[in-house]
Amino acid sequence: DAKTTQPPSMDCAEGRAANLPCNHSTISGNEYVYWYRQIHSQGPQYIIHGLKNNETNEMASLIITEDRKSSTLILPHATLRDTAVYYCIPKTGNQFYFGTGTSLTVIP
Amino acid sequence: GAGVSQSPSNKVTEKGKDVELRCDPISGHTALYWYRQSLGQGLEFLIYFQGNSAPDKSGLPSDRFSAERTGGSVSTLTIQRTQQEDSAVYLCASSIPGRMNTEAFFGQGTRLTVV
């Protein structure tokens, strides 16, 4: 499975877009990129996933570079409830390998 | 219920005792995962079940840990002779069968404290 690099922490002003980067330079051709988040003391929550094309759902947008070596999760209008640890997870096979993620703090 | 259900939500046990943690996956989800999360740490994969296939036990940390899945639904994680380092939140997840690239839905976990 591909290794990932995410910044350990980020701040974002409430109402602004939060852009969370992830490097996954060793990703293989059949590995999807998943994003999860974990709000304090809760189980991880699925956000979005994609393979090659950009994806959008009601929670977020996922931008994957053409070479698939990196991706960016975009929360278009961050709220205080979006404060959480965000995990970028390239996945193939059975397991989701959670790294250390990015701790996002949304500031009022 | 609509989501993955885990019980108990909290468990305090004495060192050396055995514990059982239960997971009820989402109805119809035949893929089931167990993870654990120690305080301030990331999630550590433990075991994966998919239908009638042999489980992937590659993440179990020692032979004190075992898991079963009866009837393809409910799963029980058993820790024998608990140690203080077993203290963690144990998380269960399930996903839709037959599709590898699909999301997994997590429960709220069981917080285990070994004293």
Side-chain angles (χ1 to χ4, degrees):
Chain A
D1 293 289
K3 299 261 189 270
T4 61
T5 303
Q6 295 180 256
S9 63
M10 293 179 65
D11 293 339
C12 177
E14 186 179 18
R16 304 297 292 268
N19 296 286
L20 293 99
C22 179
N23 286 329
H24 33 78
S25 58
T26 60
I27 196 169
S28 63
N30 62 347
E31 285 186 302
Y32 279 70
V33 179
Y34 283 75
W35 283 81
Y36 278 77
R37 72 180 182 185
Q38 190 173 25
I39 296 169
H40 182 63
S41 297
Q42 297 184 22
Q45 178 189 23
Y46 166 79
I47 302 173
I48 200 167
H49 73 286
L51 182 63
K52 295 180 185 177
N53 300 321
N54 297 338
E55 302 287 344
T56 296
N57 63 20
E58 65 277 6
M59 290 182 68
S61 294
L62 175 61
I63 309 298
I64 303 174
T65 58
E66 190 170 344
D67 63 8
R68 301 208 330 115
K69 292 183 184 299
S70 64
S71 61
T72 300
L73 179 75
I74 301 172
L75 308 178
H77 305 287
T79 71
L80 299 180
R81 289 176 295 179
D82 291 324
T83 292
V85 178
Y86 288 76
Y87 297 96
C88 163
I89 307 168
K91 175 182 175 286
T92 188
N94 300 333
Q95 303 172 21
F96 291 88
Y97 285 99
F98 287 78
T100 54
T102 296
S103 178
L104 175 69
T105 301
V106 180
I107 301 169
Chain B
V4 176
S5 178
Q6 293 188 245
S7 61
S9 55
N10 284 283
K11 175 73 176 178
V12 180
T13 190
E14 293 181 351
K15 178 181 173 181
K17 301 280 190 182
D18 298 351
V19 295
E20 286 189 351
L21 312 179
R22 177 186 169 105
C23 173
D24 286 85
I26 294 171
S27 178
H29 285 194
T30 60
L32 186 147
Y33 309 75
W34 282 98
Y35 285 81
R36 75 174 175 181
Q37 188 171 32
S38 302
L39 186 64
Q41 303 296 311
L43 277 78
E44 176 188 5
F45 168 78
L46 296 177
I47 189 169
Y48 168 80
F49 295 90
Q50 170 56 52
N52 295 321
S53 301
D56 177 355
K57 303 180 181 180
S58 60
L60 295 178
S62 77
D63 59 8
R64 297 187 295 107
F65 288 72
S66 63
E68 289 185 344
R69 190 169 185 200
T70 54
S73 181
V74 172
S75 178
T76 302
L77 178 69
T78 301
I79 308 172
Q80 296 178 310
R81 305 181 302 281
T82 52
Q83 304 294 315
Q84 287 186 329
E85 60 263 28
D86 299 334
S87 296
V89 176
Y90 288 81
L91 291 153
C92 176
S94 70
S95 63
I96 297 170
R99 290 171 51 187
M100 180 179 290
N101 287 299
T102 186
E103 62 268 33
F105 296 89
F106 282 80
Q108 294 304 300
T110 293
R111 181 176 299 277
L112 175 67
T113 304
V114 182
V115 298

